Amino acid sequence: MIYDTIIRKAGKAMKGYEMLEDNDKILIGLSGGKDSLALVEVLANRQKIYKPKIEVIACHIYIKNIGYQSDIEYLKNFCQDHDIKFILSEISIQEDTKKNRNQCFLCSWFRRKQLFKIAEENGCNKIALGHHKDDAIETLLMNQIYQGTFSTMPPKLVMKNYNVTIIRPLILLREQEIIELSNEHNYKKQVKNCPYEKESKRDEIKVLIKTLEKMNPNVTSSIYNSMTNIQSEYLPNKIEETK
């Protein structure tokens, strides 16, 4: 079953990158997409383990003036079924006074800011996000091509200004594995997709990666294993993942 593979790889990431400590209180950023639903399952399973002992809650941030949404009742019931407290937070995105930032950036920035606030209000010292290996590789290539920087999503990132640590337990998983879990567990899709999705360069990067895979079928592992200097304030020795 794909679920067993998901749990094994996520466990390897959490242990290898030292994401968890005793008495951690972790806030899941629950968007409602397949990745964040898989993250709920992973941390719900991990919450049952005695050592290190962790507590997990989940927060869905609904942006009222964007137009896409998830089934809130479904998310609430999904969390309850996994013994995880569910929080709904509603915000609006403010108008961009600088006029040079796209809507995707603003949406992400305001949601992240609200997550930090919710984490502080609920005594959470860590925030878990559902980014997987493909996300990290695509972000790396996007930053290289469009920004001229070598940076991506680190598995663990200490945010000193907010007194919280961001962790990504799904970082060793391929997107296809999460799609398989989504199909196997019948995840419900979002009610209405983001109207700005087509503005993203990420789809172009996905096509580029498929082209590179024709040159080297293991290109994603090669790119991931090359990221030994990710912009993290704390990163243990890398975990090489070749499959």
Side-chain angles (χ1 to χ4, degrees), residues 70-119:
S70 292
D71 186 328
I72 305 300
E73 196 63 27
Y74 172 75
L75 297 182
K76 181 179 178 180
N77 292 334
F78 189 89
C79 289
Q80 288 179 344
D81 290 343
H82 290 84
D83 296 320
I84 289 179
K85 176 184 175 182
F86 174 77
I87 297 172
L88 173 64
S89 178
E90 297 186 2
I91 63 171
S92 295
I93 293 181
Q94 300 172 15
E95 183 179 354
D96 183 20
T97 56
K98 294 185 178 181
K99 304 297 183 182
N100 61 351
R101 298 177 296 186
N102 64 36
Q103 201 71 15
C104 292
F105 171 85
L106 286 173
C107 180
S108 176
W109 190 85
F110 277 102
R111 282 190 290 114
R112 191 68 57 88
K113 183 179 179 181
Q114 187 68 6
L115 274 180
F116 290 141
K117 179 182 177 182
I118 298 296

Side-chain angles (χ1 to χ4, degrees), residues 95-243:
E95 183 179 354
D96 183 20
T97 56
K98 294 185 178 181
K99 304 297 183 182
N100 61 351
R101 298 177 296 186
N102 64 36
Q103 201 71 15
C104 292
F105 171 85
L106 286 173
C107 180
S108 176
W109 190 85
F110 277 102
R111 282 190 290 114
R112 191 68 57 88
K113 183 179 179 181
Q114 187 68 6
L115 274 180
F116 290 141
K117 179 182 177 182
I118 298 296
E120 182 180 12
E121 291 175 349
N122 288 271
C124 297
N125 64 313
K126 288 180 180 172
I127 295 175
L129 302 177
H131 298 122
H132 46 68
K133 180 187 283 189
D134 293 82
D135 288 327
I137 292 170
E138 290 162 12
T139 300
L140 174 69
L141 293 176
M142 288 175 67
N143 286 338
Q144 286 181 296
I145 294 170
Y146 296 108
Q147 303 295 331
T149 61
F150 190 88
S151 61
T152 188
M153 303 168 172
K156 179 179 177 181
L157 179 63
V158 178
M159 306 291 293
K160 290 184 177 179
N161 290 342
Y162 294 95
N163 197 30
V164 70
T165 298
I166 293 176
I167 59 173
R168 296 180 168 93
L170 307 185
I171 199 68
L172 295 183
L173 289 161
R174 297 299 308 273
E175 183 176 19
Q176 183 57 40
E177 293 173 309
I178 299 176
I179 291 173
E180 290 177 26
L181 179 69
S182 173
N183 293 334
E184 187 176 281
H185 288 192
N186 297 312
Y187 289 168
K188 189 172 183 178
K189 294 184 178 180
Q190 291 176 327
V191 177
K192 187 177 180 181
N193 291 328
C194 175
Y196 300 99
E197 280 181 336
K198 293 183 180 179
E199 294 184 7
S200 173
K201 295 289 186 182
R202 197 167 288 272
D203 286 342
E204 296 176 11
I205 297 298
K206 289 179 185 290
V207 173
L208 173 60
I209 291 173
K210 288 187 180 298
T211 301
L212 294 174
E213 286 177 330
K214 293 178 182 178
M215 300 169 57
N216 173 16
N218 295 319
V219 69
T220 53
S221 293
S222 296
I223 294 173
Y224 185 84
N225 292 335
S226 73
M227 298 186 292
T228 56
N229 294 309
I230 299 175
Q231 81 294 359
S232 172
E233 295 184 40
Y234 177 78
L235 183 63
N237 292 333
K238 67 176 181 178
I239 298 178
E240 292 195 0
E241 184 72 12
T242 57
K243 294 184 180 180

